[in-house]
Amino acid sequence: TSQVGQSLGPPGGEVRSLVTAPSNPDRFYLGTATGHAYVSTDRGVTWQGLGLDLSHEAVIDNLLVHPDNELVVFAAYWTPAGTGGLVRSDDGGATWGELPVPGAPSLRAIAVAPMDVRIMYVGGIGGVWRSDDGGESWRSINGRGLATDFIESLAVDPRDADHVYAGTWRQVYRSRDGGERWARVYQG
């Protein structure tokens, strides 16, 4: 018989997000479709459950590790009831706190501006929100031209924190002014 690959990771649950810490390639975090989060400090050989206390129905769709600190991790999540949110741990996942994204939206995406990590974006059902203070406060940036409020992915230009891309199921939008105006990207 042939073996295609070897299973790594904790038992059970569909893995919905997997990231490595930019400042430490040995440290991985993963989130599941059943509200659990895990950490590995040996490149995925062993895994330890984290202290994230989300509903069993919560889907951790996106994780983000601070570029300069492997112990600071964010988790964007959603539930089938249409709610969700963003949580942050400052101690490698032992404890977590909810961040105040208005309306507890069903979040699917998170991104940080590489040149200024205080600038963050989250997206999901309801559009896109921006924080200029590392996640302590948020404001909607569903500006002119964003023809959808269902965001699946986000990316920030590494040279300009106001240049952000938002991906939907079928289209990509770009803002060059921090979300005030959006344009659909047709090519390039």
Side-chain angles (χ1 to χ4, degrees):
T1 67
S2 67
Q3 186 174 4
V4 175
Q6 179 179 351
S7 176
L8 298 174
E14 173 186 331
V15 175
R16 294 297 296 250
S17 50
L18 175 65
V19 295
T20 185
S23 62
N24 179 358
D26 291 339
R27 189 175 196 92
F28 289 19
Y29 292 93
L30 72 78
T32 72
T34 56
H36 298 315
Y38 297 87
V39 66
S40 172
T41 57
D42 55 12
R43 294 189 181 218
V45 175
T46 61
W47 294 88
Q48 174 185 347
L50 296 178
L52 186 54
D53 187 24
L54 294 177
S55 156
H56 183 70
E57 293 183 340
V59 177
I60 303 171
D61 235 7
N62 211 306
L63 293 167
L64 176 86
V65 181
H66 189 285
D68 303 321
N69 186 341
E70 67 189 69
L71 299 180
V72 177
V73 61
F74 298 84
Y77 68 94
W78 59 273
T79 69
T83 62
L86 181 68
V87 292
R88 176 181 66 208
S89 175
D90 294 324
D91 57 11
T95 60
W96 297 80
E98 191 83 25
L99 295 176
V101 181
S106 174
L107 294 179
R108 312 299 173 105
I110 182 171
V112 65
M115 78 297 299
D116 185 349
V117 294
R118 295 171 301 170
I119 299 174
M120 301 178 67
Y121 297 90
V122 293
I125 297 176
V128 184
W129 293 263
R130 176 179 167 146
S131 174
D132 293 318
D133 57 12
E136 296 300 318
S137 64
W138 296 86
R139 63 182 162 67
S140 173
I141 58 167
N142 295 333
R144 189 177 54 215
L146 187 60
T148 183
D149 64 352
F150 196 101
I151 307 300
E152 281 287 329
S153 57
L154 293 166
V156 182
D157 187 316
R159 300 161 298 204
D160 187 341
D162 287 332
H163 195 167
V164 60
Y165 293 86
T168 70
W169 281 9
R170 292 180 172 74
Q171 298 148 352
V172 176
Y173 292 86
R174 173 180 54 217
S175 175
R176 293 186 176 168
D177 58 9
E180 296 296 319
R181 292 178 308 233
W182 294 87
R184 195 163 147 209
V185 177
Y186 291 96
Q187 59 184 329

